[in-house]
Each structure stands twice: as C-alpha cells, then as structure tokens.
Amino acid sequence: MYRGDFINDEEILSFLEEGKNAGKDEIRNIISKSLSKQRLEPIETAKLLQVEDKDLIEEIFDAAKKLKEEIYGNRIVFFAPLYIGNKCINNCVYCGFRRDNHSIVRKTLTREELVEQVKILESKGHKRLILVYGEHPDYDGDFIAETMRIVYSTKNGKGEIRRVNINAAPLDVEDYKKLKEAGIGTFQIFQETYHHDTYKKMHPKGDRKSDFAWRLYGLDRAMEAGIDDVGIGALFGLFDWKYEVLGLLTHAIHLEETFGVGPHTISVPRIEPALNTEYPEGGKYLVSDEDFKKLVAIIRLSVPYTGLILTARENADIRREVLPLGVSQIDAGSRIGIGGYEEEDYIPDKEQFQLGDMRSLDTVINELSKEGYITSFCTGCYRSGRTGENFMSMAKPGLIQDFCIPNAILTFKEYLLDYASEDTIKSGNAVIEKELEKLEKISPKLRSTVEKKLKLIEKGQRDLYL
Ligand code: SAM
Ligand code: SF4
C-alpha cells in the first residue's frame, strides 16, 4: 500500500506488470536511449527487467559494457571498508550485528586501535576508506566526525587517507553538518528494501530503524546539510530484486528532481551468511548469479552517470563476471571484523557477515591490470570541488576521461612505486603505458601534462592531480 512517501509500492508493481508486454523493438529502443546516455524512466527499466529472451539479455549485457567503457573507460576505483564499531540498538533480522545476537562480541575501536588499523590500510596502499558503524547513541555526529578527523590525520610514511566516506545510520541535519565540516566524501545509506511491508518485517516495530521514511529521507537531510555526494543501495535478497531495482531508480530520480543531482553511487550488496543469523523468509528472495548480472547491467543502463559499487561480499569469480557490466568502484583486501586488519582470516564473532573475496589488494590489482583495467585511488574531484551538481555537469559531456583517467594514472603510479609487488609493477606499468598512448590520441597536450607529473612522482612528490 502507498504510504505517502515517494516510494509508491503499487505503482512500482504495476510498472513491473506492464513491463512484461514489451516487444523486441521496444527493448532495443530503450537500449538505444540508454546508449545515448540518457537516464531511463521507471517503465523503461521495468521493461528491461522483464526481458527473458536469451539473445536480448546478451544485448543488454553488451550495451552495459559499451556504456561503461564510454563513460568510465577501463578505470576501477579502489577503496576499503573500515568497521569502527558494532554496537547496535536495532534488531534487523538479516544482520549479524543485530541487538539480540549474543554470539557477537561488541567492540568499538579506541583511538589507538583506529590509528593502528588506518596505518595498516595505508601500508597496503589504500587512499580511500568507507567507515562503517552500527546504529548506537555512542556513534553520533560528534563521534563519527572525530573518527574521520583521526583517519585523515593518521599518516604512515608516504601513506595517507585522502577521502573518507561513511556508511552509518541516518542522521539529522545538524549532525550531517559536523561530518561536512570534518571533510566527508560520500554519505551512504542503504534503504535495504524499498518494499514497505517487507521493510516492516525486517525491522521490528519500535526499533529506530523501523521508521522507513526517516531512512528514506536520510540522504535528503544530508544534502540539505551541504553533503553533495550521497550513495544509495538496496540489500538484495530481502524482496524481489526487480522491485528493488525500480526502488533504487525511483530514489535516484527523487534526488535528481529535488536537488538537481542524483546519487553519486549505487551499491548492490547481496545478502551474505552471518553468524547465528537465518536468511529472511528462508532465502526465498535470494538473487542468483545470473539475475545479479542482469540487475547490475540494467542499473548501469538506467542511470548512466551514477557510480556503481561492487563489494567483496561477492566471491572472486562473480566479481570477474560482473565488473565489466558497469561497475566503477570495488574494495579489495577488505576485512570487516572490528580490528580485522590485524588478522589474516575471518574473525566471525566480530563480523557483520562473511566476505566472499578475501584476496589482497595487490593480488586484485595485479589481476585487473593483466586484464587491461587501470586502478585508480583518485580523490581529486571532491578536493577540487567537482562534487554533486558540479561533478554531474562535468561527467555528462564525457569529461570523466579528461580528469579521471589522468588522475587514475597518477595515483596508480604512486601505488606502483610505493606498495606494489614485482609482478604488479610490471603489469601496472604496461597499463599506464597503454593509457598514455590513448591520451595522446585524445590530446597530446594532456599526455604531456600527465607525463610531467609522472616524472615528479618518480622523484618523490605525491598527491598530484588534475
Ligand atoms: N548500521 C547502519 C545501518 O544499518 O544503516 C550502518 C550500516 S550497516 C553496518 C551496513 C550495511 O550492511 C547495511 O545497510 C546492510 O545493507 C548491510 N548488511 C547487513 N547485514 C548484511 C548481510 N547479512 N549480508 C550483507 N550485507 C548486510
Ligand atoms: Fe544494526 Fe545496521 Fe546491522 Fe541493522 S544493519 S542490525 S542497524 S548494524
């Protein structure tokens, strides 16, 4: 039933029903619209979601690959999650951190432990973190802002964190302003499910998280507080994945219409096994690998300019398959236990769920380099004010190529000089060489600007960007 916020369950369900009747030509017209880099309308996305024909599905995959290539190039941005505390006042049925899960050891990093974790991450080459928190009165705006300041001020040799993103419970405008002040990159909130009745079942009555609208408008408040970059997401596996894709699109359109700019990123977590936690509804809505590929490709086609995040929840094989379909950001070398970066393995009693890809950052970068992807640790945009609307107006004419690729080259070079293994140095330098050749074709002047900066980096300068 429709409850008066901007998610109208009945409307979404009716789009899905109507979407079943599309002919092949209609689907191809929608794909063409997307390839001309226009955002799709919900009914158009619904039609793509209902495609069953194998050849047409391949056409959707091909188009998603093409669009990604055209807008983002072969660049993959790397980040790492850092869990700050797992105390939680909520009882979300799917989450290992839920209040009643007594198998979990509750822990919040002390200042010293946080510094230690950040130094470990810096020693691996990370420059971008997402800090993650349970929902608890201890983790208010002041606390989150303080942890951000600690992260930014922790250096380790040449290592430093240049962008801190946050995934925490929705805050009020005053608290968001504190994070803005502390230099936040993106504030992420996953709605979990956009289906009101399912949301109710997953988030027991009386819990703070049971308020669907408080969460749904959480990113509106962040934007009102001046945070330009916000990230949305749905936890796939709670309800019909096709419905959730339309929920995400509706949310993106709402932000676009209200603030003139859509979300900076969309995350597509699939539910993972967690200690002492059953799958909701006995796993009825778990998303198969094949459907997961479809949903990533269709999101790519629906919102061409929004970054897509694929986390290490997924195993290495599925990450390999899904990456080309539109993903722009991944994490690697991740540990999600509190204090997890000191451990080589799982620490199940401090983890929210189980990760699928535990490979090291260097291993993943090496593999992607051999496949021709260029690694980026770039944080130039948000530090040059290219965020929110400014970012979108630049991204739209394809300027990502002019800034993001050069900055990927520069930050990747830093990584290769400071942290990479012998084999990654080889594969990485080959990728940089190819990218410079491509730049030459777009603009010899740009290549020469980048090469000058590369020389400075080789001489020991750091943090150079366009
Ligand atoms: N506690 C805050 C909240 O719920 O908004 C902060 C984020 S919570 C630590 C991070 C996200 O993890 C949740 O929004 C949810 O989507 C995801 N999550 C929870 N349980 C999960 C599971 N079993 N598998 C995969 N992701 C899960
Ligand atoms: Fe707490 Fe967030 Fe887990 Fe819910 S998803 S139990 S709010 S940590």
Side-chain angles (χ1 to χ4, degrees):
M1 204 210 316
Y2 178 43
R3 315 287 157 93
D5 53 59
F6 63 83
I7 296 293
N8 182 336
D9 302 36
E10 280 159 13
E11 189 179 54
I12 292 180
L13 291 168
S14 73
F15 285 145
L16 284 174
E17 208 38 53
E18 196 185 329
K20 286 179 184 163
N21 306 318
K24 280 193 179 180
D25 287 346
E26 219 178 328
I27 296 296
R28 291 194 176 116
N29 286 339
I30 296 169
I31 293 176
S32 301
K33 176 177 176 185
S34 176
L35 285 174
S36 71
K37 305 190 178 91
Q38 295 178 62
R39 188 206 13 93
L40 299 182
E41 294 303 324
I43 182 61
E44 294 168 326
T45 295
K47 288 175 180 169
L48 296 184
L49 288 165
Q50 297 294 18
V51 170
E52 297 289 349
D53 180 283
K54 284 215 168 66
D55 293 339
L56 269 187
I57 291 173
E58 280 312 312
E59 287 178 39
I60 289 175
F61 288 167
D62 289 345
K65 285 179 192 163
K66 187 157 183 252
L67 195 61
K68 174 189 147 73
E69 185 62 36
E70 279 180 18
I71 295 185
Y72 297 90
N74 52 348
R75 183 183 57 106
I76 297 288
V77 174
F78 279 79
F79 69 94
L82 175 54
Y83 277 65
I84 304 292
N86 64 5
K87 293 206 244 174
C88 197
I89 54 170
N90 296 315
N91 237 345
C92 313
V93 299
Y94 46 81
C95 179
F97 288 170
R98 70 189 185 284
R99 184 179 71 228
D100 287 351
N101 191 358
H102 300 297
S103 311
I104 286 279
V105 177
R106 302 292 162 174
K107 166 93 189 130
T108 305
L109 293 178
T110 63
R111 172 182 282 267
E112 293 68 33
E113 287 164 342
L114 174 54
V115 167
E116 194 47 42
Q117 294 287 299
V118 174
K119 283 189 171 168
I120 296 171
L121 285 158
E122 288 171 344
S123 75
K124 311 276 185 207
H126 281 292
K127 299 283 185 280
R128 308 166 58 105
L129 298 186
I130 180 147
L131 309 187
V132 187
Y133 310 74
E135 177 156 12
H136 195 273
D138 286 359
Y139 309 149
D140 59 8
D142 288 315
F143 176 82
I144 295 175
E146 181 56 14
T147 52
M148 288 174 62
R149 283 189 285 270
I150 295 170
V151 171
Y152 277 131
S153 62
T154 299
K155 315 277 174 187
N156 185 3
K158 290 196 169 96
E160 60 180 357
I161 299 303
R162 300 176 186 156
R163 180 173 174 123
V164 177
N165 300 330
I166 299 291
N167 185 320
L171 302 174
D172 61 25
V173 174
E174 285 315 302
D175 272 346
Y176 282 125
K177 283 186 181 159
K178 295 172 189 167
L179 309 195
K180 165 88 181 162
E181 181 82 24
I184 189 174
T186 308
F187 196 94
Q188 254 186 12
I189 301 173
F190 303 158
Q191 186 61 25
E192 320 299 10
T193 172
Y194 287 93
H195 186 251
H196 285 86
D197 284 343
T198 304
Y199 191 91
K200 240 185 179 172
K201 279 195 231 163
M202 301 298 143
H203 305 103
K205 201 170 169 194
D207 276 6
R208 192 175 300 169
K209 193 155 165 180
S210 64
D211 189 340
F212 182 95
W214 174 253
R215 194 168 182 87
L216 188 65
Y217 287 96
L219 295 173
D220 288 54
R221 294 192 297 281
M223 287 187 123
E224 279 161 30
I227 296 178
D228 285 337
D229 286 349
V230 297
I232 63 175
L235 182 57
F236 285 92
L238 302 183
F239 188 60
D240 177 14
W241 62 272
K242 295 179 184 176
Y243 179 98
E244 304 297 10
V245 170
L246 287 185
L248 286 166
L249 177 60
T250 308
H251 198 166
I253 293 171
H254 165 79
L255 291 171
E256 205 177 283
E257 286 176 348
T258 315
F259 299 99
V261 56
H264 188 64
T265 53
I266 294 183
S267 298
V268 291
R270 273 196 294 185
I271 194 157
E272 296 295 332
L275 185 69
N276 192 26
T277 305
E278 305 267 320
Y279 280 131
E281 316 261 357
K284 180 171 160 199
Y285 292 110
L286 289 181
V287 179
S288 70
D289 290 350
E290 222 21 63
D291 287 342
F292 189 56
K293 280 163 59 183
K294 276 198 230 169
L295 78 85
V296 168
I298 293 171
I299 293 174
R300 175 70 300 135
L301 293 177
S302 302
V303 281
Y305 289 101
T306 305
L308 247 173
I309 299 179
L310 179 70
T311 70
R313 285 176 178 84
E314 301 298 336
N315 68 39
D317 287 338
I318 189 78
R319 295 231 284 180
R320 277 182 203 110
E321 280 191 63
V322 170
L323 208 63
L325 297 174
V327 173
S328 56
Q329 287 191 32
I330 64 170
D331 56 332
S334 300
R335 298 291 178 271
I336 57 170
I338 315 291
Y341 286 103
E342 272 151 31
E343 320 270 338
E344 274 311 300
D345 211 350
Y346 296 118
I347 38 173
D349 61 351
K350 290 190 196 136
E351 288 181 356
Q352 189 190 11
F353 51 82
Q354 218 172 309
L355 284 183
D357 187 356
M358 300 277 284
R359 293 173 300 162
S360 72
L361 177 63
D362 193 72
T363 306
V364 177
I365 290 180
N366 193 1
E367 179 180 300
L368 290 189
S369 299
K370 286 177 178 163
E371 284 167 22
Y373 288 100
I374 176 148
T375 290
S376 177
F377 292 99
C378 177
T379 56
C381 274
Y382 107 101
R383 291 186 299 151
S384 307
R386 295 192 294 268
T387 57
E389 201 173 351
N390 294 332
F391 173 81
M392 286 298 173
S393 61
M394 300 192 80
K396 286 193 174 164
L399 282 179
I400 285 192
Q401 301 277 3
D402 292 353
F403 287 96
C404 302
I405 294 289
N407 287 340
I409 294 175
L410 298 175
T411 53
F412 192 25
K413 187 70 184 178
E414 288 185 350
Y415 175 82
L416 296 177
L417 289 168
D418 296 340
Y419 305 104
S421 64
E422 282 303 312
D423 200 37
T424 305
I425 294 173
K426 245 190 263 161
S427 57
N429 278 326
V431 170
I432 289 183
E433 201 38 55
K434 272 200 196 127
E435 290 303 316
L436 287 170
E437 281 162 22
K438 282 196 228 159
L439 270 193
E440 170 90 31
K441 286 190 190 128
I442 302 169
S443 154
K445 194 165 159 239
L446 190 55
R447 175 178 179 151
S448 127
T449 307
V450 173
E451 280 188 323
K452 275 185 204 137
K453 289 197 189 300
L454 282 175
K455 290 227 167 66
L456 295 173
I457 290 172
E458 275 163 12
K459 284 189 186 143
Q461 281 199 40
R462 291 291 173 268
D463 202 14
L464 301 176
Y465 55 90
L466 304 187

